[in-house]
Amino acid sequence: MLPRLPQRKRVRNVLIVLAVLLAGAVATAALNSGSRHGHLDPRSADPSGSRAVAELLKERGVSTRVVTTARDAAAAAGPGTTLLVTDPDLLGAAQRSALRSAAALSGGRTVLLAPSGPSLPLLAPGVRSQGSAHPDVLAPQCTLPAAISAGRATTGSGERYTALPGATACYPSGGHPTLLVVPAGRTGGETVLLGSETPLLNDSLAKEGNASLALQLLGSRPELVWYMPSPADSDPGDGPDGGEKSLFDLIPDGWSWALLQLFVAGALAALWRARRLGPLVTERLPVVIRASEATEGRARLYRKAGARDRAATVLRTATRERLAALVGVPPTRAHDPASLVPAVSARLTGKAASGDVTALLFGTTPSDDAALVALADHLDALEREVRTS
């Protein structure tokens, strides 16, 4: 047989492997999340980030400030401020109302990225969504100076809207605009609905006229407030899917990948360390120990420990099993005096038949070593007589 590792050593090896895998998963998640601030984040250089727009605006004297709560966004709104809301549909009813009031009174510009049915009634009253646009590069087809200067842009693959009276509708797809500028009235402010976030992303900013369009929409005021709604700003049931988010929806992307990698690594480790079912593999032993030597060694251990009770039990048990086979007693009843003793006594003749077979096979522990040796001799004599009877 192949040698088996001690139980404690096997457990220690498994714990070491799991610790290494866990450390690797944590390091991977930390590396992924350390330089990745999120989707549409002006601090992120990832393809889905918007750091390029923020850097270009900074070169033109426009400062960018990131906020994550509706209270901070409403407080920052003003005539010299452009307020960008990256995910209007995530907001709860109270947050939408606060932003709408601040935008109406501030006199600044409010840019909403891809708002749809849940957020339009409060943030852009009268505007309705017309579904998704075709993922095409669209022409301005309007009189808005920013759109005319930018030319064609990738505003497709997003939302389309109805054109309100007095509003400027640009980049139409299927007859409905993907860019809508709604004036606020006497305050002088305006609300811009940009149906697609693509023109603001790092990996698409250099395509077509995206950079020009993004800079003109976000750089018309000296300060840009970049509002990235946090989960705390959403009300249960007010999300875009009309229900509460699950625990897995709230896990950041970096940690989701780390947990997946940890699960796969744990499964591979379990397969590696699992017990393999199959035939036993024999191995030639380096040393052959004779049966007599093993018996003598065990006897010496019994003698050293003074275990006469254990030695007598082993002797009597082995004798009872052999006698049961000789006299026809089932193995399951070999240690039952009521079954074994009568059968053995019936095979004995002469003086041996009058001996106390019960005391010999089921008696007490010998008092000393001499009595133990005598017991062994009597058991041998009993077995010989049964065999020859």
Side-chain angles (χ1 to χ4, degrees):
M1 297 290 294
L2 289 175
R4 298 181 61 186
L5 292 175
Q7 182 69 19
R8 185 175 300 177
K9 187 175 181 180
R10 294 201 304 271
V11 173
R12 184 184 63 184
N13 292 341
V14 172
L15 292 178
I16 291 175
V17 172
L18 292 179
V20 172
L21 294 176
L22 180 59
V26 171
T28 301
L31 292 175
N32 288 340
S33 61
S35 59
R36 181 186 179 98
H37 296 283
H39 186 63
L40 282 171
D41 194 308
R43 299 163 295 186
S44 174
D46 294 338
S48 61
S50 299
R51 184 176 177 180
V53 175
E55 292 295 331
L56 292 177
L57 290 172
K58 183 179 180 180
E59 294 177 359
R60 287 158 176 77
V62 179
S63 61
T64 301
R65 172 187 173 190
V66 178
V67 297
T68 57
T69 64
R71 178 180 301 178
D72 293 340
T81 300
T82 299
L83 174 60
L84 171 64
V85 184
T86 60
D87 195 351
D89 293 343
L90 182 64
L91 300 177
Q95 287 74 19
R96 295 170 189 165
S97 298
L99 284 182
R100 177 59 184 170
S101 300
L105 299 175
S106 66
R109 169 178 283 183
T110 302
V111 179
L112 306 176
L113 277 188
S116 60
S119 59
L120 286 175
L122 278 177
L123 296 179
V127 179
R128 291 183 300 174
S129 174
Q130 295 297 324
S132 300
H134 297 291
D136 299 329
V137 178
L138 305 177
Q141 300 183 23
C142 66
T143 59
L144 184 67
I148 296 176
S149 176
R152 294 169 61 85
T154 57
T155 59
S157 70
E159 295 288 331
R160 301 182 302 165
Y161 305 102
T162 56
L164 293 179
T168 304
C170 300
Y171 297 102
S173 175
H176 298 283
T178 58
L179 173 63
L180 193 64
V181 181
V182 182
R186 292 179 298 176
T187 60
E190 58 188 5
T191 299
V192 178
L193 281 71
L194 182 58
S196 175
E197 60 191 21
T198 304
L200 305 184
L201 300 179
N202 291 333
D203 62 348
S204 58
L205 186 65
K207 298 178 181 179
E208 301 296 336
N210 292 347
S212 176
L213 181 63
L215 293 178
Q216 294 184 76
L217 292 180
L218 303 181
S220 61
R221 269 75 171 174
E223 183 179 3
L224 171 62
V225 177
W226 200 293
Y227 175 31
M228 300 180 63
S230 63
D233 272 357
S234 62
D235 290 340
D238 284 339
D241 56 356
E244 296 184 7
K245 289 184 176 294
S246 66
L247 175 63
F248 296 100
D249 294 332
L250 301 178
I251 298 177
D253 293 338
W255 284 100
S256 300
W257 281 108
L259 290 176
L260 178 60
Q261 293 174 16
L262 180 61
F263 175 78
V264 173
L268 293 177
L271 292 176
W272 168 51
R273 298 297 299 177
R275 184 187 298 272
R276 290 167 174 81
L277 302 179
L280 296 178
V281 179
T282 59
E283 181 181 6
R284 180 175 299 177
L285 296 177
V287 178
V288 178
I289 301 176
R290 296 179 179 178
S292 59
E293 294 180 2
T295 303
E296 184 178 355
R298 177 174 293 185
R300 288 177 179 177
L301 291 176
Y302 286 158
R303 181 177 182 181
K304 184 176 181 180
R308 286 186 294 273
D309 55 343
R310 176 62 180 168
T313 300
V314 172
L315 292 173
R316 283 169 169 157
T317 300
T319 302
R320 290 197 297 263
E321 292 175 352
R322 291 193 295 268
L323 289 175
L326 293 174
V327 298
V329 174
T332 56
R333 305 185 65 84
H335 306 290
D336 181 13
S339 301
L340 182 64
V341 172
V344 172
S345 300
R347 299 286 293 271
L348 300 178
T349 60
K351 296 181 179 180
S354 61
D356 192 355
V357 179
T358 304
L360 185 59
L361 295 177
F362 300 95
T364 59
T365 302
S367 59
D368 52 24
D369 291 347
L372 180 62
V373 173
L375 174 64
D377 293 339
H378 293 158
L379 291 174
D380 286 341
L382 176 63
E383 185 177 350
R384 282 197 304 270
E385 186 169 354
V386 172
R387 289 181 181 275
T388 58
S389 63

Tab-separated table of all heavy atoms in Angstrom, residues 175-227:
chain	number	residue	atom	x	y	z
A	175	GLY	N	-36.690	59.293	-37.034
A	175	GLY	CA	-37.623	60.408	-36.850
A	175	GLY	C	-37.686	60.965	-35.445
A	175	GLY	O	-38.439	61.931	-35.197
A	176	HIS	N	-36.923	60.411	-34.506
A	176	HIS	CA	-36.939	60.896	-33.120
A	176	HIS	C	-35.519	61.260	-32.702
A	176	HIS	O	-34.575	60.511	-32.957
A	176	HIS	CB	-37.508	59.837	-32.180
A	176	HIS	CG	-38.937	59.485	-32.483
A	176	HIS	ND1	-40.001	60.293	-32.136
A	176	HIS	CD2	-39.460	58.402	-33.119
A	176	HIS	CE1	-41.126	59.728	-32.524
A	176	HIS	NE2	-40.833	58.586	-33.140
A	177	PRO	N	-35.337	62.398	-32.030
A	177	PRO	CA	-33.984	62.864	-31.696
A	177	PRO	C	-33.350	62.036	-30.587
A	177	PRO	O	-34.015	61.542	-29.680
A	177	PRO	CB	-34.227	64.306	-31.236
A	177	PRO	CG	-35.623	64.306	-30.713
A	177	PRO	CD	-36.386	63.340	-31.582
A	178	THR	N	-32.026	61.941	-30.655
A	178	THR	CA	-31.251	61.332	-29.573
A	178	THR	C	-30.557	62.393	-28.720
A	178	THR	O	-29.947	62.057	-27.712
A	178	THR	CB	-30.197	60.375	-30.142
A	178	THR	OG1	-29.327	61.109	-31.040
A	178	THR	CG2	-30.850	59.241	-30.916
A	179	LEU	N	-30.662	63.646	-29.146
A	179	LEU	CA	-30.168	64.772	-28.354
A	179	LEU	C	-31.261	65.833	-28.335
A	179	LEU	O	-31.704	66.290	-29.384
A	179	LEU	CB	-28.876	65.340	-28.942
A	179	LEU	CG	-28.347	66.632	-28.293
A	179	LEU	CD1	-27.985	66.390	-26.832
A	179	LEU	CD2	-27.136	67.166	-29.057
A	180	LEU	N	-31.683	66.216	-27.119
A	180	LEU	CA	-32.782	67.158	-26.974
A	180	LEU	C	-32.381	68.218	-25.958
A	180	LEU	O	-31.964	67.884	-24.839
A	180	LEU	CB	-34.050	66.430	-26.510
A	180	LEU	CG	-35.360	67.207	-26.596
A	180	LEU	CD1	-35.705	67.540	-28.051
A	180	LEU	CD2	-36.495	66.392	-25.973
A	181	VAL	N	-32.497	69.499	-26.365
A	181	VAL	CA	-32.185	70.630	-25.486
A	181	VAL	C	-33.490	71.339	-25.159
A	181	VAL	O	-34.149	71.894	-26.043
A	181	VAL	CB	-31.181	71.598	-26.146
A	181	VAL	CG1	-30.854	72.749	-25.198
A	181	VAL	CG2	-29.909	70.857	-26.536
A	182	VAL	N	-33.864	71.320	-23.871
A	182	VAL	CA	-35.123	71.907	-23.424
A	182	VAL	C	-34.813	73.157	-22.612
A	182	VAL	O	-34.177	73.074	-21.557
A	182	VAL	CB	-35.917	70.903	-22.564
A	182	VAL	CG1	-37.251	71.512	-22.151
A	182	VAL	CG2	-36.124	69.599	-23.327
A	183	PRO	N	-35.235	74.354	-23.066
A	183	PRO	CA	-34.977	75.573	-22.283
A	183	PRO	C	-35.819	75.600	-21.015
A	183	PRO	O	-36.927	75.075	-20.975
A	183	PRO	CB	-35.364	76.697	-23.245
A	183	PRO	CG	-36.341	76.080	-24.182
A	183	PRO	CD	-35.943	74.645	-24.329
A	184	ALA	N	-35.266	76.226	-19.970
A	184	ALA	CA	-35.946	76.258	-18.671
A	184	ALA	C	-36.871	77.451	-18.514
A	184	ALA	O	-37.661	77.493	-17.581
A	184	ALA	CB	-34.927	76.257	-17.539
A	185	GLY	N	-36.776	78.448	-19.371
A	185	GLY	CA	-37.678	79.608	-19.257
A	185	GLY	C	-36.968	80.833	-18.729
A	185	GLY	O	-35.858	81.165	-19.164
A	186	ARG	N	-37.582	81.499	-17.754
A	186	ARG	CA	-37.078	82.783	-17.292
A	186	ARG	C	-35.748	82.677	-16.555
A	186	ARG	O	-35.011	83.652	-16.468
A	186	ARG	CB	-38.102	83.440	-16.365
A	186	ARG	CG	-39.385	83.863	-17.087
A	186	ARG	CD	-40.366	84.469	-16.132
A	186	ARG	NE	-40.781	83.503	-15.106
A	186	ARG	CZ	-41.583	83.803	-14.093
A	186	ARG	NH1	-42.038	85.033	-13.942
A	186	ARG	NH2	-41.925	82.859	-13.220
A	187	THR	N	-35.423	81.539	-16.006
A	187	THR	CA	-34.166	81.418	-15.276
A	187	THR	C	-32.952	81.386	-16.196
A	187	THR	O	-31.824	81.580	-15.750
A	187	THR	CB	-34.169	80.128	-14.442
A	187	THR	OG1	-34.320	79.003	-15.320
A	187	THR	CG2	-35.303	80.138	-13.437
A	188	GLY	N	-33.149	81.121	-17.460
A	188	GLY	CA	-32.041	81.108	-18.399
A	188	GLY	C	-31.312	79.780	-18.479
A	188	GLY	O	-30.397	79.636	-19.285
A	189	GLY	N	-31.681	78.834	-17.646
A	189	GLY	CA	-31.034	77.525	-17.686
A	189	GLY	C	-31.645	76.636	-18.751
A	189	GLY	O	-32.613	77.002	-19.433
A	190	GLU	N	-31.119	75.462	-18.884
A	190	GLU	CA	-31.620	74.523	-19.872
A	190	GLU	C	-31.289	73.103	-19.435
A	190	GLU	O	-30.385	72.867	-18.634
A	190	GLU	CB	-31.004	74.802	-21.250
A	190	GLU	CG	-29.485	74.734	-21.258
A	190	GLU	CD	-28.887	75.193	-22.582
A	190	GLU	OE1	-29.651	75.647	-23.438
A	190	GLU	OE2	-27.655	75.105	-22.733
A	191	THR	N	-32.072	72.169	-19.969
A	191	THR	CA	-31.869	70.751	-19.692
A	191	THR	C	-31.536	70.048	-20.995
A	191	THR	O	-32.277	70.173	-21.985
A	191	THR	CB	-33.122	70.130	-19.063
A	191	THR	OG1	-33.417	70.786	-17.826
A	191	THR	CG2	-32.907	68.648	-18.790
A	192	VAL	N	-30.434	69.327	-20.996
A	192	VAL	CA	-29.974	68.612	-22.178
A	192	VAL	C	-30.156	67.116	-21.929
A	192	VAL	O	-29.662	66.568	-20.929
A	192	VAL	CB	-28.498	68.916	-22.484
A	192	VAL	CG1	-28.029	68.117	-23.708
A	192	VAL	CG2	-28.303	70.403	-22.706
A	193	LEU	N	-30.875	66.461	-22.826
A	193	LEU	CA	-31.064	65.018	-22.757
A	193	LEU	C	-30.203	64.379	-23.837
A	193	LEU	O	-30.454	64.550	-25.036
A	193	LEU	CB	-32.532	64.637	-22.974
A	193	LEU	CG	-33.491	64.811	-21.796
A	193	LEU	CD1	-33.742	66.307	-21.529
A	193	LEU	CD2	-34.813	64.112	-22.069
A	194	LEU	N	-29.160	63.674	-23.418
A	194	LEU	CA	-28.279	62.971	-24.337
A	194	LEU	C	-28.605	61.481	-24.241
A	194	LEU	O	-28.383	60.849	-23.208
A	194	LEU	CB	-26.806	63.222	-23.978
A	194	LEU	CG	-25.749	62.580	-24.885
A	194	LEU	CD1	-25.931	63.043	-26.336
A	194	LEU	CD2	-24.350	62.915	-24.393
A	195	GLY	N	-29.150	60.932	-25.320
A	195	GLY	CA	-29.674	59.572	-25.271
A	195	GLY	C	-28.630	58.485	-25.145
A	195	GLY	O	-28.962	57.362	-24.787
A	196	SER	N	-27.366	58.782	-25.436
A	196	SER	CA	-26.320	57.764	-25.372
A	196	SER	C	-25.133	58.304	-24.589
A	196	SER	O	-24.774	59.482	-24.692
A	196	SER	CB	-25.875	57.359	-26.776
A	196	SER	OG	-24.781	56.471	-26.720
A	197	GLU	N	-24.513	57.438	-23.817
A	197	GLU	CA	-23.320	57.800	-23.055
A	197	GLU	C	-22.041	57.622	-23.863
A	197	GLU	O	-20.959	58.020	-23.423
A	197	GLU	CB	-23.226	56.926	-21.810
A	197	GLU	CG	-23.125	55.451	-22.143
A	197	GLU	CD	-23.298	54.549	-20.946
A	197	GLU	OE1	-23.873	54.984	-19.948
A	197	GLU	OE2	-22.844	53.391	-21.026
A	198	THR	N	-22.155	57.057	-25.067
A	198	THR	CA	-20.980	56.725	-25.869
A	198	THR	C	-20.065	57.914	-26.138
A	198	THR	O	-18.841	57.774	-26.051
A	198	THR	CB	-21.421	56.092	-27.203
A	198	THR	OG1	-22.247	54.955	-26.933
A	198	THR	CG2	-20.229	55.658	-28.024
A	199	PRO	N	-20.570	59.111	-26.448
A	199	PRO	CA	-19.653	60.223	-26.742
A	199	PRO	C	-18.768	60.626	-25.572
A	199	PRO	O	-17.782	61.340	-25.777
A	199	PRO	CB	-20.618	61.365	-27.116
A	199	PRO	CG	-21.838	60.687	-27.609
A	199	PRO	CD	-21.966	59.467	-26.752
A	200	LEU	N	-19.067	60.187	-24.351
A	200	LEU	CA	-18.275	60.593	-23.191
A	200	LEU	C	-17.259	59.536	-22.766
A	200	LEU	O	-16.458	59.792	-21.859
A	200	LEU	CB	-19.201	60.898	-21.997
A	200	LEU	CG	-20.315	61.925	-22.229
A	200	LEU	CD1	-21.055	62.175	-20.934
A	200	LEU	CD2	-19.736	63.215	-22.791
A	201	LEU	N	-17.276	58.369	-23.361
A	201	LEU	CA	-16.388	57.287	-22.939
A	201	LEU	C	-14.997	57.450	-23.540
A	201	LEU	O	-14.826	57.965	-24.648
A	201	LEU	CB	-16.972	55.936	-23.354
A	201	LEU	CG	-18.350	55.600	-22.783
A	201	LEU	CD1	-18.811	54.246	-23.302
A	201	LEU	CD2	-18.322	55.609	-21.264
A	202	ASN	N	-13.989	56.973	-22.799
A	202	ASN	CA	-12.602	57.108	-23.239
A	202	ASN	C	-12.352	56.412	-24.577
A	202	ASN	O	-11.635	56.936	-25.436
A	202	ASN	CB	-11.658	56.519	-22.179
A	202	ASN	CG	-11.629	57.347	-20.910
A	202	ASN	OD1	-11.863	58.550	-20.932
A	202	ASN	ND2	-11.354	56.698	-19.790
A	203	ASP	N	-12.928	55.221	-24.760
A	203	ASP	CA	-12.612	54.449	-25.955
A	203	ASP	C	-13.331	54.935	-27.205
A	203	ASP	O	-13.048	54.459	-28.301
A	203	ASP	CB	-12.917	52.963	-25.724
A	203	ASP	CG	-14.391	52.710	-25.447
A	203	ASP	OD1	-15.121	53.699	-25.210
A	203	ASP	OD2	-14.803	51.535	-25.453
A	204	SER	N	-14.276	55.856	-27.058
A	204	SER	CA	-15.001	56.357	-28.233
A	204	SER	C	-14.934	57.872	-28.369
A	204	SER	O	-15.565	58.431	-29.264
A	204	SER	CB	-16.472	55.917	-28.168
A	204	SER	OG	-17.080	56.373	-26.982
A	205	LEU	N	-14.188	58.533	-27.511
A	205	LEU	CA	-14.142	59.999	-27.558
A	205	LEU	C	-13.526	60.504	-28.855
A	205	LEU	O	-13.944	61.546	-29.394
A	205	LEU	CB	-13.345	60.518	-26.352
A	205	LEU	CG	-13.313	62.036	-26.177
A	205	LEU	CD1	-14.701	62.576	-25.874
A	205	LEU	CD2	-12.346	62.436	-25.064
A	206	ALA	N	-12.551	59.769	-29.401
A	206	ALA	CA	-11.860	60.232	-30.607
A	206	ALA	C	-12.607	59.888	-31.888
A	206	ALA	O	-12.146	60.248	-32.982
A	206	ALA	CB	-10.451	59.640	-30.657
A	207	LYS	N	-13.722	59.212	-31.803
A	207	LYS	CA	-14.463	58.825	-32.998
A	207	LYS	C	-15.384	59.955	-33.447
A	207	LYS	O	-16.015	60.623	-32.617
A	207	LYS	CB	-15.285	57.569	-32.717
A	207	LYS	CG	-14.457	56.348	-32.362
A	207	LYS	CD	-15.338	55.169	-32.054
A	207	LYS	CE	-14.514	53.944	-31.668
A	207	LYS	NZ	-15.388	52.781	-31.338
A	208	GLU	N	-15.461	60.136	-34.769
A	208	GLU	CA	-16.353	61.118	-35.372
A	208	GLU	C	-16.207	62.468	-34.663
A	208	GLU	O	-15.108	62.902	-34.383
A	208	GLU	CB	-17.802	60.610	-35.321
A	208	GLU	CG	-18.025	59.285	-36.033
A	208	GLU	CD	-17.777	59.346	-37.523
A	208	GLU	OE1	-17.881	60.458	-38.097
A	208	GLU	OE2	-17.495	58.313	-38.134
A	209	GLY	N	-17.340	63.110	-34.340
A	209	GLY	CA	-17.288	64.397	-33.645
A	209	GLY	C	-17.625	64.296	-32.172
A	209	GLY	O	-18.102	65.278	-31.564
A	210	ASN	N	-17.378	63.123	-31.571
A	210	ASN	CA	-17.745	62.927	-30.172
A	210	ASN	C	-17.045	63.903	-29.240
A	210	ASN	O	-17.657	64.453	-28.318
A	210	ASN	CB	-17.416	61.492	-29.749
A	210	ASN	CG	-18.306	60.477	-30.429
A	210	ASN	OD1	-19.318	60.829	-31.037
A	210	ASN	ND2	-17.944	59.211	-30.353
A	211	ALA	N	-15.745	64.103	-29.425
A	211	ALA	CA	-14.993	64.980	-28.526
A	211	ALA	C	-15.526	66.406	-28.579
A	211	ALA	O	-15.730	67.052	-27.538
A	211	ALA	CB	-13.516	64.939	-28.883
A	212	SER	N	-15.765	66.887	-29.772
A	212	SER	CA	-16.278	68.254	-29.904
A	212	SER	C	-17.663	68.388	-29.260
A	212	SER	O	-17.936	69.359	-28.548
A	212	SER	CB	-16.345	68.641	-31.384
A	212	SER	OG	-16.925	69.920	-31.540
A	213	LEU	N	-18.530	67.409	-29.495
A	213	LEU	CA	-19.860	67.466	-28.923
A	213	LEU	C	-19.808	67.410	-27.400
A	213	LEU	O	-20.496	68.172	-26.706
A	213	LEU	CB	-20.696	66.309	-29.466
A	213	LEU	CG	-22.153	66.241	-28.974
A	213	LEU	CD1	-22.932	67.470	-29.424
A	213	LEU	CD2	-22.828	64.972	-29.479
A	214	ALA	N	-18.967	66.515	-26.842
A	214	ALA	CA	-18.872	66.390	-25.392
A	214	ALA	C	-18.329	67.662	-24.757
A	214	ALA	O	-18.839	68.139	-23.728
A	214	ALA	CB	-17.990	65.197	-25.030
A	215	LEU	N	-17.285	68.257	-25.371
A	215	LEU	CA	-16.699	69.463	-24.797
A	215	LEU	C	-17.669	70.640	-24.828
A	215	LEU	O	-17.727	71.440	-23.885
A	215	LEU	CB	-15.414	69.817	-25.550
A	215	LEU	CG	-14.250	68.837	-25.390
A	215	LEU	CD1	-13.063	69.275	-26.232
A	215	LEU	CD2	-13.839	68.727	-23.933
A	216	GLN	N	-18.464	70.742	-25.866
A	216	GLN	CA	-19.390	71.875	-25.951
A	216	GLN	C	-20.609	71.687	-25.047
A	216	GLN	O	-21.129	72.656	-24.492
A	216	GLN	CB	-19.826	72.069	-27.404
A	216	GLN	CG	-18.681	72.497	-28.320
A	216	GLN	CD	-19.151	72.787	-29.730
A	216	GLN	OE1	-19.747	73.839	-29.986
A	216	GLN	NE2	-18.889	71.851	-30.641
A	217	LEU	N	-21.049	70.459	-24.876
A	217	LEU	CA	-22.187	70.222	-23.985
A	217	LEU	C	-21.801	70.383	-22.515
A	217	LEU	O	-22.605	70.880	-21.711
A	217	LEU	CB	-22.757	68.816	-24.210
A	217	LEU	CG	-23.446	68.559	-25.550
A	217	LEU	CD1	-23.957	67.118	-25.615
A	217	LEU	CD2	-24.606	69.539	-25.762
A	218	LEU	N	-20.586	69.966	-22.163
A	218	LEU	CA	-20.164	69.995	-20.759
A	218	LEU	C	-19.292	71.195	-20.407
A	218	LEU	O	-19.076	71.446	-19.211
A	218	LEU	CB	-19.392	68.713	-20.420
A	218	LEU	CG	-20.117	67.388	-20.667
A	218	LEU	CD1	-19.240	66.219	-20.257
A	218	LEU	CD2	-21.447	67.346	-19.921
A	219	GLY	N	-18.798	71.919	-21.397
A	219	GLY	CA	-17.855	73.006	-21.117
A	219	GLY	C	-18.402	74.401	-21.345
A	219	GLY	O	-17.619	75.342	-21.501
A	220	SER	N	-19.712	74.545	-21.370
A	220	SER	CA	-20.278	75.883	-21.593
A	220	SER	C	-20.214	76.753	-20.340
A	220	SER	O	-20.411	77.968	-20.425
A	220	SER	CB	-21.734	75.756	-22.056
A	220	SER	OG	-22.522	75.105	-21.054
A	221	ARG	N	-19.970	76.159	-19.158
A	221	ARG	CA	-19.842	76.898	-17.905
A	221	ARG	C	-18.461	76.606	-17.309
A	221	ARG	O	-17.847	75.582	-17.612
A	221	ARG	CB	-20.916	76.468	-16.908
A	221	ARG	CG	-22.211	77.283	-16.975
A	221	ARG	CD	-23.047	76.921	-18.150
A	221	ARG	NE	-24.387	77.544	-18.124
A	221	ARG	CZ	-25.249	77.457	-19.109
A	221	ARG	NH1	-24.935	76.775	-20.221
A	221	ARG	NH2	-26.422	78.049	-19.028
A	222	PRO	N	-17.979	77.467	-16.428
A	222	PRO	CA	-16.625	77.271	-15.887
A	222	PRO	C	-16.506	76.104	-14.912
A	222	PRO	O	-15.394	75.688	-14.605
A	222	PRO	CB	-16.334	78.600	-15.182
A	222	PRO	CG	-17.674	79.189	-14.902
A	222	PRO	CD	-18.558	78.765	-16.023
A	223	GLU	N	-17.617	75.588	-14.416
A	223	GLU	CA	-17.557	74.487	-13.451
A	223	GLU	C	-18.484	73.366	-13.897
A	223	GLU	O	-19.623	73.601	-14.298
A	223	GLU	CB	-17.952	74.966	-12.051
A	223	GLU	CG	-17.835	73.867	-10.992
A	223	GLU	CD	-18.207	74.352	-9.603
A	223	GLU	OE1	-18.603	75.525	-9.469
A	223	GLU	OE2	-18.112	73.556	-8.651
A	224	LEU	N	-17.973	72.147	-13.808
A	224	LEU	CA	-18.761	70.958	-14.149
A	224	LEU	C	-18.913	70.101	-12.894
A	224	LEU	O	-17.921	69.679	-12.296
A	224	LEU	CB	-18.065	70.157	-15.252
A	224	LEU	CG	-18.656	68.766	-15.571
A	224	LEU	CD1	-20.093	68.883	-16.068
A	224	LEU	CD2	-17.781	68.038	-16.595
A	225	VAL	N	-20.164	69.857	-12.502
A	225	VAL	CA	-20.457	68.972	-11.376
A	225	VAL	C	-20.861	67.619	-11.954
A	225	VAL	O	-21.899	67.501	-12.609
A	225	VAL	CB	-21.575	69.550	-10.489
A	225	VAL	CG1	-21.906	68.576	-9.356
A	225	VAL	CG2	-21.154	70.892	-9.926
A	226	TRP	N	-20.017	66.637	-11.711
A	226	TRP	CA	-20.219	65.299	-12.276
A	226	TRP	C	-20.901	64.450	-11.209
A	226	TRP	O	-20.264	63.950	-10.287
A	226	TRP	CB	-18.875	64.700	-12.663
A	226	TRP	CG	-18.950	63.579	-13.653
A	226	TRP	CD1	-19.484	62.364	-13.467
A	226	TRP	CD2	-18.432	63.588	-14.994
A	226	TRP	NE1	-19.355	61.590	-14.585
A	226	TRP	CE2	-18.708	62.319	-15.546
A	226	TRP	CE3	-17.774	64.530	-15.775
A	226	TRP	CZ2	-18.339	61.974	-16.836
A	226	TRP	CZ3	-17.410	64.184	-17.059
A	226	TRP	CH2	-17.689	62.924	-17.586
A	227	TYR	N	-22.201	64.250	-11.358
A	227	TYR	CA	-22.984	63.548	-10.341
A	227	TYR	C	-23.118	62.081	-10.727
A	227	TYR	O	-23.766	61.739	-11.708
A	227	TYR	CB	-24.362	64.200	-10.203
A	227	TYR	CG	-25.307	63.492	-9.266
A	227	TYR	CD1	-24.852	62.798	-8.154
A	227	TYR	CD2	-26.681	63.518	-9.498
A	227	TYR	CE1	-25.726	62.149	-7.302
A	227	TYR	CE2	-27.570	62.879	-8.642
A	227	TYR	CZ	-27.080	62.187	-7.556
A	227	TYR	OH	-27.948	61.536	-6.714
